[in-house]
Amino acid sequence: MSYDQISAGAFRGSFTQLSLPRLEVFREITSQQVRQHGQLGADSFAIGLPWHGDGELSCNGTSARGARVLASIDAEIDMCTPKAFELRGVVAGTVLIAELAARLDIELPSAVWHQLRVIETKEAPVARLRALLTAIQETITTAPERFDDPVARQALEDALLVEIMDMLPTARASDPGRSSAARRRTVDRARELMHGSGDRSLSILEVCKAVGASPRKLGYCFQEVVGTSPMHYWRAMRLNRVRRDLKRAGDTDVSVYDVAVQHGFWHFSQFSLDYKRHFSELPSETLRRARLAA
């Protein structure tokens, strides 16, 4: 997974994982609005529950709240999470889930194949799964040695699988509506251009022309789907690219200016201010730390 920080400010985050015989239980916390993107894996099935945050989670133009859950099998993940966000969930092998589904005569929802989706299902198993994940985190905090017992680990795994399998028969993809779907497609095309531009810096006007939307329309679409303006999103993505390159430049003689210009920041003093506002440190401090580590 790759993480791009969208909102400005110092970032704090954590990832906790409990490995059971056939399942992985995770808890992810991020302080800033973040774009998370990557690949779940060809043999992985995942259920994720948004826990809390200062805004809505955007996943394919659909928000996830309440009893809604995220589910995917062999999926590419691309979502924007809000500030002060927490996600908890379970990852299993697709073979295990398919075998259990066949044994229990459950048809897996086709909507979750190959794409991360927000799904709706009956509330009772979601509530029980939330209670289990809450108990797991409390035990990790107060008495982690309990998970050293193989019997306890197996019992916990069985309980998690029961709730997941109880959830799947009624699972269906959340429908964002026709207008929301159209706005999502516009944003998807714009982001594809932005993320595929590589070292070439696109202008927002170029993006608008390519997707066939006015700056105002593109702004409305981004605000609904991503929760920020296209200009802010694109600047944040470019700043994240600079930060990655600076962290990798520890054993080279490259300068901050060289990296900034490569990503389209021609006004160096303004770039330094934007970088510090976004990451709470100067770009020279990022490079200095990378060189000390090297």
Side-chain angles (χ1 to χ4, degrees):
M1 293 291 292
S2 295
Y3 293 74
D4 289 312
Q5 181 178 327
I6 298 175
S7 60
F11 177 84
R12 295 177 303 279
S14 65
F15 191 92
T16 306
Q17 181 171 304
L18 172 66
S19 295
L20 299 174
R22 296 176 296 174
L23 301 179
E24 303 289 341
V25 183
F26 69 88
R27 180 194 191 192
E28 178 187 82
I29 299 174
T30 48
S31 63
Q32 298 292 343
Q33 185 185 15
V34 172
R35 176 191 176 228
Q36 302 187 22
H37 53 105
Q39 191 74 26
L40 177 62
D43 59 349
S44 297
F45 169 89
I47 290 285
L49 301 180
W51 221 253
H52 61 73
D54 291 343
E56 291 190 2
L57 163 68
S58 174
C59 173
N60 292 325
T62 306
S63 63
R65 283 191 169 184
R68 291 180 175 180
V69 300
L70 307 180
S72 61
I73 301 175
D74 180 21
E76 181 179 350
I77 295 174
D78 197 337
M79 60 184 180
C80 290
T81 58
K83 287 185 175 182
F85 182 69
E86 183 175 334
L87 181 68
R88 302 188 191 186
V90 182
V91 179
T94 54
V95 172
L96 170 63
I97 298 300
E99 286 178 350
L100 288 174
R103 195 178 305 164
L104 300 171
D105 197 24
I106 295 173
E107 183 178 353
L108 293 175
S110 59
V112 305
W113 287 92
H114 307 301
Q115 186 179 36
L116 181 68
R117 297 296 300 267
V118 177
I119 64 172
E120 296 181 0
T121 183
K122 57 184 181 181
E123 296 183 10
V126 177
R128 292 193 296 267
L129 181 58
R130 282 184 176 275
L132 276 172
L133 294 175
T134 298
I136 289 170
Q137 292 304 322
E138 289 175 351
T139 304
I140 288 175
T141 302
T142 60
E145 67 279 359
R146 292 181 185 173
F147 294 126
D148 294 336
D149 182 356
V151 175
R153 290 158 59 84
Q154 187 61 60
L156 175 57
E157 181 180 273
D158 291 345
L160 288 167
L161 285 170
V162 165
E163 301 309 338
I164 290 172
M165 301 314 295
D166 195 25
M167 193 184 301
L168 291 178
T170 59
R172 62 182 178 85
S174 179
D175 183 6
R178 185 173 298 177
S179 60
S180 292
R183 286 190 283 272
R184 184 197 70 208
R185 287 193 296 271
T186 298
V187 171
D188 284 347
R189 289 198 298 270
R191 292 169 67 192
E192 184 178 357
L193 284 169
M194 293 175 178
H195 298 307
S197 63
D199 295 337
R200 189 172 77 86
S201 179
L202 293 173
S203 71
I204 291 298
L205 289 179
E206 286 180 285
V207 175
C208 289
K209 182 178 179 180
V211 302
S214 67
R216 177 175 292 185
K217 178 181 178 181
L218 190 64
Y220 290 152
C221 293
F222 261 80
Q223 199 63 51
E224 177 178 315
V225 175
V226 184
T228 190
S229 70
M231 182 68 76
H232 177 85
Y233 180 86
W234 184 213
R235 186 187 299 113
M237 293 303 103
R238 288 159 54 213
L239 286 170
N240 277 274
R241 289 180 181 182
V242 170
R243 187 171 179 81
R244 285 196 184 93
D245 284 354
L246 291 176
K247 287 183 173 182
R248 296 166 182 157
D251 57 353
T252 70
D253 59 357
V254 71
S255 70
V256 172
Y257 179 80
D258 293 335
V259 178
V261 170
Q262 182 180 350
H263 292 288
F265 294 101
W266 60 272
H267 194 307
F268 189 69
S269 59
Q270 184 61 51
F271 157 74
S272 295
L273 289 173
D274 289 344
Y275 189 98
K276 184 174 183 180
R277 185 181 301 114
H278 202 78
F279 299 114
S280 296
E281 69 175 13
L282 289 168
S284 58
E285 293 174 312
T286 304
L287 182 57
R288 187 181 306 117
R289 192 169 59 251
R291 285 179 172 159
L292 286 172

